[in-house]
Amino acid sequence: MIIVLKPNVTKQQFDHVLDRIKALGLKPMVSKGTERTIIGVIGPEDALRSQPLEVIPGVEKVMPVLKPYKLVSREFKPESTVISINGIKVGGKELVVMAGPCSVENRKMLFETAKAVKRAGAQILRGGAFKPRTSPYAFQGLREDGLKLLREAAKATGMSVVTELLDVRDMKAVERYADIIQIGARNMQNFELLKEVGLSRKPILLKRGLSATINEFLLAAEYILSQGNFNVILCERGIRTFETATRFTLDLSAIPVIKKLSHLPIVVDPSHGVGAWDLVGPMAKAAVAAGADGLLIEVHPNPEVALSDGPQSLLPKNFAILMKETRKVAQAVGRTL
Ligand code: PEP
Ligand code: MN
């Protein structure tokens, strides 16, 4: 259920509604918009059905939410969410670009990449320190040493950091060094991990699972919001289909669909979506044209020797071209980059 309050609701009436919800053993989650305050009710709703909450002064209407998710829905929060990270706004008019290597490999390659992507206009440095690899024999990441390098490179270039958290045991370390915590596609339905990052105050970049429907994707985000962390950035990164010409199938229709269903910002990762560097630029432009709030792009100074995802990594000079071309598309759809 969601409870829409009248525009002129008093503080006393508002508090009374919260008290009634809590007395029924339910949890109120408040969304204060510019025009209306809406309360999402979390918990078993049966208790509410026999309660005529509409009669409480200050309540305009009580509406059932037919979708399985509540807090991520546009019904709960009609205005689009804009997330601020060190002065960078995700979900506003300006697009946000997160760029960097798949994995943090060493200081030299990281600093070189960070400087290049910053120069080309990226605001956020990406790089994996804990890597979810298909093979246990593949490079698993530099772990905490990688986190430290990311922080240093970001400081040197004036960028913010997004990096993946694979396991709750590394939560404190990742929280300490990262500005945004990434939950990767393979962990989209690791519900205990989602609950844990829901308790963090850091923004979360939640990637769509390899075989997740949009409904499952939004329910995964709901796990995070339900714990109190409303700063979730969704990321479309391609799904498994019968097509094998690309690594995954980048589902760009997810952007307008999610924009209709949810207030959360959504960025697109064409690098993992297509798996080939020469296809990244066209899909980045298409993503921006379709309404994405930003991009996540893998860049490597020497993709030939990359320890992970070399084939899809752009050389810095090609990343600069991507930025220049995407800027024109951004302008055409009323965004800036
Ligand atoms: C990544 O961003 O490096 C990554 C592993 O992505 P995904 O979880 O989408 O595969
Ligand atoms: Mn990668």
Side-chain angles (χ1 to χ4, degrees), residues 100-103 105 126 131-134 138-139 164 182 186 207 237 247-248 269 271-273 275-277 280 296-300 302-314:
C102 178
S103 303
E105 298 171 6
R126 67 140 285 143
K131 293 304 301 176
R133 305 305 301 282
T134 302
F139 177 59
E164 179 164 356
Q182 175 173 326
R186 289 155 192 83
K207 299 189 86 174
R237 49 78 70 212
R247 186 177 177 189
F248 294 92
D269 167 2
S271 303
H272 291 88
W277 72 268
V280 173
L296 185 144
I297 310 277
E298 286 189 342
V299 179
H300 196 290
N302 188 0
E304 266 181 47
V305 299
L307 296 179
S308 59
D309 287 348
Q312 69 197 33
S313 299
L314 288 172

Side-chain angles (χ1 to χ4, degrees), residues 19-156:
D19 288 344
R20 289 290 304 124
I21 294 167
K22 287 183 203 153
L24 292 166
L26 301 164
K27 192 168 150 195
M29 301 291 261
V30 179
S31 157
K32 277 201 162 89
T34 44
E35 295 185 359
R36 285 270 195 284
T37 296
I38 297 174
I39 305 173
V41 182
I42 305 298
E45 290 185 351
D46 291 350
L48 267 183
R49 290 192 215 289
S50 55
Q51 301 283 322
L53 291 177
E54 290 89 341
V55 303
I56 302 180
V59 172
E60 184 165 288
K61 58 182 172 188
V62 179
M63 304 192 309
V65 182
L66 300 175
K67 308 206 179 67
Y69 43 83
K70 297 181 175 66
L71 304 176
V72 305
S73 74
R74 278 238 182 240
E75 283 98 328
F76 173 63
K77 186 169 179 288
E79 293 122 13
S80 295
T81 289
V82 178
I83 298 172
S84 288
I85 302 143
N86 304 330
I88 304 159
K89 289 197 166 26
V90 186
K93 187 170 183 235
E94 187 174 358
L95 299 174
V96 61
V97 177
M98 311 175 186
C102 178
S103 303
V104 178
E105 298 171 6
N106 57 60
R107 173 186 297 272
K108 187 169 175 291
M109 66 78 74
L110 185 65
F111 273 68
E112 193 179 333
T113 313
K115 281 182 201 149
V117 298
K118 167 73 182 185
R119 205 180 311 122
Q123 304 99 319
I124 299 173
L125 178 63
R126 67 140 285 143
F130 298 94
K131 293 304 301 176
R133 305 305 301 282
T134 302
S135 164
Y137 309 119
F139 177 59
Q140 304 284 308
L142 297 181
R143 305 180 66 84
E144 196 154 343
D145 288 342
L147 294 177
K148 287 181 190 155
L149 287 176
L150 275 168
R151 191 74 261 161
E152 277 182 48
K155 193 163 175 226

Side-chain angles (χ1 to χ4, degrees), residues 134 184-189 207-213 216 236-241 247-249 272:
T134 302
R186 289 155 192 83
N187 267 323
M188 190 207 81
Q189 285 191 316
K207 299 189 86 174
R208 182 176 179 181
L210 315 186
S211 305
T213 62
E216 288 162 340
E236 164 59 42
R237 49 78 70 212
I239 48 173
R240 280 257 156 87
T241 67
R247 186 177 177 189
F248 294 92
T249 297
H272 291 88

Side-chain angles (χ1 to χ4, degrees), residues 162-316:
V162 59
T163 195
E164 179 164 356
L165 170 70
L166 278 183
D167 188 310
V168 286
R169 286 171 293 188
D170 300 310
M171 178 82 185
K172 286 277 159 294
V174 172
E175 267 193 320
R176 179 160 165 217
Y177 294 106
D179 301 294
I180 306 173
I181 302 173
Q182 175 173 326
I183 298 297
R186 289 155 192 83
N187 267 323
M188 190 207 81
Q189 285 191 316
N190 182 339
F191 301 118
E192 290 306 317
L193 187 59
L194 297 178
K195 284 193 240 171
E196 201 63 30
V197 296
L199 297 171
S200 173
R201 297 276 74 88
K202 295 269 166 150
I204 308 301
L205 178 74
L206 177 66
K207 299 189 86 174
R208 182 176 179 181
L210 315 186
S211 305
T213 62
I214 288 174
N215 191 54
E216 288 162 340
F217 189 19
L218 292 176
L219 276 167
E222 182 84 10
Y223 261 92
I224 303 172
L225 271 73
S226 72
Q227 299 302 308
N229 188 348
F230 277 63
N231 292 327
V232 174
I233 305 160
L234 302 169
C235 178
E236 164 59 42
R237 49 78 70 212
I239 48 173
R240 280 257 156 87
T241 67
F242 53 80
E243 184 53 73
T244 54
T246 46
R247 186 177 177 189
F248 294 92
T249 297
L250 191 64
D251 180 11
L252 292 184
S253 57
I255 306 163
V257 169
I258 286 175
K259 286 276 170 204
K260 258 206 295 198
L261 297 174
S262 175
H263 54 86
L264 295 174
I266 175 163
V267 302
V268 170
D269 167 2
S271 303
H272 291 88
V274 296
W277 72 268
D278 56 332
L279 305 179
V280 173
M283 297 315 281
K285 286 182 268 186
V288 169
D293 294 303
L295 296 167
L296 185 144
I297 310 277
E298 286 189 342
V299 179
H300 196 290
N302 188 0
E304 266 181 47
V305 299
L307 296 179
S308 59
D309 287 348
Q312 69 197 33
S313 299
L314 288 172
L315 281 166

